[in-house]
């Protein structure tokens, strides 16, 4: 924990010296930020649809909103844009945010406190939603029934006969075969990004989880770091009206619901349309 504090403190010092840097070459002036909340996104469907949720709620609350002229390459780049003052608000994820900070790290313990301490003055991490876009490990229903699998510890009873792979197996948050062995005593043969592996590493919002009826294995020892979505916002934009508006998403949005929204965007629907439909169904928007 002392190392955690030291890393967070050093992040804070370094950020104070580089907060004026721009990641895209487009900087929103302080005057513009006072007139409108500029919302940034990365290229993912998750980011675009969550940003649309934020924008619809803020607009309904009477606040002026506009989209950033730049779509950022990754969640980390969107975080850096908020830190640099290019945008006032962006969807963010816990572990990805820590990695975006100078000398950031995946840190255990109270994530809310860690973020609060690691972020520079003037940048606020609002309460996260239940929804995560983090990596999960999943198996087919047939495999789950055959080996009575419900959590990662249950994999120890398979006798090392299963393989570990999947589309997200190379993601920095994905657990390796060695980390699962250390935490759970599980032996799995690495299969790389193969989609035919027995145990698949996927993003929690991957459409294949619902489409293929996969069983997501729980992680009781928290080997996989959390990636709950939350609003990362600059202090001038985080007034009580904005906070009250955004809390509606955090209270309602689950990973399964986010996956459904992502599937709709991937199918070609506009993020704003998808966001409005969901918000009205949840009685968050009239």
């Amino acid at each position: 924990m002392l190392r955690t504090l030291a890393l967070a403190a050093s992040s804070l010092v370094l950020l104070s010296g580089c907060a004026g840097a721009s990641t895209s070459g487009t900087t929103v002036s302080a005057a513009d930020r006072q007139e409108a909340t500029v919302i940034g996104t990365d290229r993912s469907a998750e980011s675009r649809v969550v940003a649309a949720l934020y924008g619809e709620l803020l607009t309904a609350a009477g606040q002026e909103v506009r989209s950033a002229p730049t779509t950022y390459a990754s969640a980390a780049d969107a975080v850096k844009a908020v830190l640099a003052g290019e945008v006032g608000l962006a969807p963010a994820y816990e572990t990805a945010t820590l990695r975006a900070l100078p000398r950031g790290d995946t840190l255990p313990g109270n994530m809310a406190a860690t973020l609060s301490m690691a972020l520079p003055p003037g940048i606020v991490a609002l309460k996260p939603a239940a929804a995560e876009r983090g990596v999960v490990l999943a198996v087919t229903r047939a495999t789950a029934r055959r080996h009575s699998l419900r959590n990662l510890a249950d994999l120890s009873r398979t006798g090392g006969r299963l393989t570990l792979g999947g589309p997200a197996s190379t993601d920095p948050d994905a657990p390796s075969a060695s980390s699962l062995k250390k935490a759970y005593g599980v032996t799995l043969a690495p299969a790389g990004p193969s989609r035919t592996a027995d145990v698949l590493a996927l993003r929690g919002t991957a459409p294949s989880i619902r489409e293929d009826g996969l069983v997501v294995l729980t992680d009781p020892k928290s080997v996989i770091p959390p990636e709950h979505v939350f609003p990362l916002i600059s202090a001038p934009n985080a007034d009580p009206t904005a906070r009250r508006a955004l809390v509606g998403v955090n209270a309602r949005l689950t990973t399964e619901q986010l996956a459904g929204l992502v599937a709709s965007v991937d199918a070609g629907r506009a993020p704003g349309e998808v966001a409005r439909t969901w918000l009205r169904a949840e009685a968050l928007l009239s």
Side-chain angles (χ1 to χ4, degrees), residues 122-167:
I123 305 297
V124 182
L126 299 183
K127 185 177 179 180
E132 290 197 66
R133 65 113 197 206
V135 174
V136 297
L137 297 187
V139 296
T140 64
R141 292 192 184 279
T143 299
R145 284 195 300 268
R146 186 179 308 118
H147 300 286
S148 299
L149 302 178
R150 291 179 298 176
N151 61 54
L152 297 183
D154 294 336
L155 290 168
S156 61
R157 65 168 62 104
T158 64
R161 295 187 298 273
L162 302 185
T163 56
L164 172 66

Side-chain angles (χ1 to χ4, degrees), residues 182-266:
K182 181 178 179 180
Y184 292 108
V186 171
T187 300
L188 297 172
S194 170
R195 293 177 181 269
T196 60
D198 299 303
V199 182
L200 294 170
L202 303 163
R203 282 287 176 190
T205 53
S208 60
I209 293 175
R210 291 202 307 174
E211 293 170 359
D212 299 337
L214 300 179
V215 177
V216 174
L217 303 178
T218 61
D219 178 19
K221 293 188 178 181
S222 299
V223 172
I224 305 171
E227 282 282 69
H228 298 92
V229 62
F230 67 91
L232 185 68
I233 190 167
S234 62
N237 296 284
D239 61 30
T241 299
R243 289 171 183 259
R244 283 193 299 269
L246 295 172
V247 76
V249 170
N250 297 335
R252 304 286 184 87
L253 188 62
T254 65
T255 300
E256 184 177 5
Q257 289 169 331
L258 179 56
L261 299 179
V262 167
S264 294
V265 173
D266 284 342

